[in-house]
Amino acid sequence: MATLTITRLGHQGDGITEGPVFVPRTLPGEVVEGQVTDGRIAAPRILTPSPQRIKAPCPHYRTCGGCALQHAQDDFVTDWKQGILRQALAAQGIEAPFRAPHISPLRSRRRAGFAGRRLKNGAMVGFHARASDVLTAVPDCLILDPALVAALPLLQDLTAREGSRKGELSLSLTVSEAGLDLAVTGGKALDDPLRARLGQWAGQSGLARLAWDGDVIAQSQPPFHTIGRARVTPPPGAFLQATKPAEAALQAAVCDAIGAAAQVADLFAGCGTFALSLAKNAEILAVESDAAMLRALDAGWRQAQGLKRITTQMRDLFRNPILPEDLARFDAVVIDPPRAGAETQMRALAASRVPRIAAVSCNPVTFARDAKLLVQGGYRLDWVQVVDQFRFSPHLELAAQFTK
């Protein structure tokens, strides 16, 4: 047994001691005891707790891997997340003012990915324990929209009927404004008998839509989401911001960042989270590599009233970035890349004369790397804002404004 003192938290929320030794669910300053195995104490005993330590509010916290920081006060978690972003920027030699963070409320997460496994009697649906294939049921989850929690028995029923004891179903469930939207992957191969059973089950379940490995099995009505003045029905399992309040916070930040721009390029546009909210005042070029997402965006725009023109373009911005000369006609660019960032496109932006850039990111490290490229190209990072829609987790979103 070793007795150690936690000196800091790592980017995944684990406490770190000298060595280093990683200790989950601990806080800086705490003295802990436990068996060190491969540089980790899996089951620490807290000898001296931090003043920031609180009792985890969720009954599932001990066994569920969905949350990592319920044992810390909210202010500590917010400061820690902002500190991660500050450190990432500082590592690239950048400082910037921080806007007040947005923190999504409890029970606001509108989409979640569950795992389902058939058992001898019934089924288990829930989240995995951390770094484990053990499933934990989460009937009292504090993060999920109540409609998702209420649907867990429905997912258990489907898993018991059509799941496998040799593998797991991945169950992506989203609360749409027309009802629940369920996309299942990892299941049995779809044949006519399975399609018939699923169609019958979907009809009895009250779902807005059921998709099985990308094939829409049943749709009682389009599972739409209102974005600005448009209604958008994303393809099954498509990316959406996890909470509606966070989506609104990011949209407001992006709107501030582009100012009065009349011609805007929205890069990595997805289903139109930003394009459709900005089209009230600006003409938009929406660029995205996923054709189904672009079709959803375009359909939403065409059916809406009072929006300026949105032109869509399917393009792989990693391999085929928009070049500086083609960016010259835009007053502003919105860019919201995946976790890997967008180094190639950022180099082209850095060499452009676009007056304003609104950047959105889910990865402080790649954001800071890309921000350095823009700064080296003559841009100023005017402000950043942390958007915490993944409560109690180490993840964060951010928005930022750059001006030439």
Side-chain angles (χ1 to χ4, degrees):
M1 301 289 285
T3 300
L4 301 168
T5 300
I6 306 300
T7 58
R8 60 188 176 90
L9 294 191
H11 283 191
Q12 296 304 311
D14 285 345
I16 302 176
T17 76
E18 295 294 333
V21 175
F22 292 85
V23 190
R25 298 184 176 180
T26 57
L27 298 172
E30 292 188 327
V31 179
V32 302
E33 180 183 71
Q35 183 68 45
V36 179
T37 303
D38 296 328
R40 181 177 177 84
I41 298 178
R45 178 182 173 215
I46 310 298
L47 300 180
T48 305
S50 165
Q52 302 291 338
R53 178 173 286 276
I54 61 172
K55 181 180 179 181
C58 178
H60 309 305
Y61 186 55
R62 182 178 295 274
T63 55
C64 176
C67 291
L69 290 158
Q70 284 197 16
H71 59 283
Q73 294 184 14
D74 286 346
D75 288 349
F76 172 87
V77 176
T78 299
D79 290 345
W80 174 69
K81 289 192 176 186
Q82 292 198 122
I84 289 175
L85 179 53
R86 281 195 180 92
Q87 291 169 14
L89 289 170
Q92 301 293 345
I94 301 172
E95 293 184 358
F98 274 62
R99 284 186 160 193
H102 163 85
I103 303 171
S104 290
L106 299 178
R107 298 182 174 87
S108 64
R109 182 157 182 172
R110 61 178 173 176
R111 63 173 177 86
F114 300 98
R117 185 181 299 147
R118 186 162 65 88
L119 308 174
K120 288 184 179 180
N121 297 306
M124 169 72 81
V125 171
F127 296 138
H128 287 109
R130 185 173 181 184
S132 170
D133 61 357
V134 176
L135 283 182
T136 298
V138 288
D140 299 304
C141 180
L142 298 180
I143 300 300
L144 302 177
D145 185 296
L148 295 180
V149 175
L152 288 173
L154 194 68
L155 301 185
Q156 289 174 342
D157 180 60
L158 177 62
T159 303
R161 290 168 180 263
E162 305 299 347
S164 169
R165 292 177 63 186
K166 295 181 179 180
E168 289 183 351
L169 292 180
S170 294
L171 304 151
S172 177
L173 189 63
T174 303
V175 180
S176 81
E177 294 173 51
L180 293 174
D181 184 11
L182 176 59
V184 183
T185 57
K188 304 171 186 175
L190 189 62
D191 55 18
D192 288 342
L194 177 57
R195 185 182 293 274
R197 294 196 305 271
L198 291 172
Q200 183 179 22
W201 180 85
Q204 298 168 350
S205 69
L207 295 175
R209 179 171 66 184
L210 170 65
W212 190 272
D213 280 330
D215 287 332
V216 175
I217 303 299
Q219 180 172 288
S220 61
Q221 51 187 324
F224 70 89
H225 301 264
T226 299
I227 303 177
R229 296 175 176 176
R231 288 185 170 186
V232 176
T233 299
F239 172 82
L240 290 169
Q241 296 296 338
T243 77
K244 193 69 175 176
E247 180 181 76
L250 290 168
Q251 288 168 335
V254 165
C255 184
D256 287 349
I258 69 164
Q263 296 287 333
V264 178
D266 182 8
L267 310 184
F268 303 95
C271 291
T273 296
F274 301 115
L276 289 166
S277 64
L278 298 174
K280 178 182 176 182
N281 299 312
E283 292 190 355
I284 311 291
L285 170 65
V287 183
E288 168 61 48
S289 63
D290 188 306
M293 286 189 175
L294 279 184
R295 286 194 296 269
L297 190 165
D298 186 64
W301 171 70
R302 291 180 182 280
Q303 295 167 14
Q305 299 293 321
L307 296 182
K308 295 192 175 182
R309 183 173 182 81
I310 297 180
T311 304
T312 60
Q313 181 182 119
M314 189 172 70
R315 184 170 182 153
D316 183 344
L317 292 169
F318 294 107
R319 298 185 177 185
N320 185 22
I322 300 180
L323 299 177
E325 55 267 31
D326 297 320
L327 292 165
R329 69 184 179 92
F330 297 105
D331 306 310
V333 166
V334 179
I335 183 164
D336 181 14
R339 288 192 62 81
E343 183 175 357
T344 303
Q345 183 60 71
M346 285 296 190
R347 290 187 183 279
L349 272 172
S352 78
R353 296 182 178 274
V354 175
R356 302 169 77 101
I357 297 172
V360 178
S361 175
C362 61
N363 187 334
V365 174
T366 57
F367 167 75
R369 178 204 67 197
D370 291 348
K372 183 177 181 179
L373 295 175
L374 294 179
V375 170
Q376 289 174 335
Y379 283 89
R380 179 181 65 244
L381 177 53
D382 297 305
W383 52 259
V384 293
Q385 180 181 15
V386 167
V387 175
D388 187 3
Q389 61 179 325
F390 298 103
R391 291 284 295 272
F392 309 131
S393 85
H395 303 296
L396 63 89
E397 306 277 329
L398 67 97
Q401 175 184 293
F402 293 87
T403 53
K404 192 75 170 183

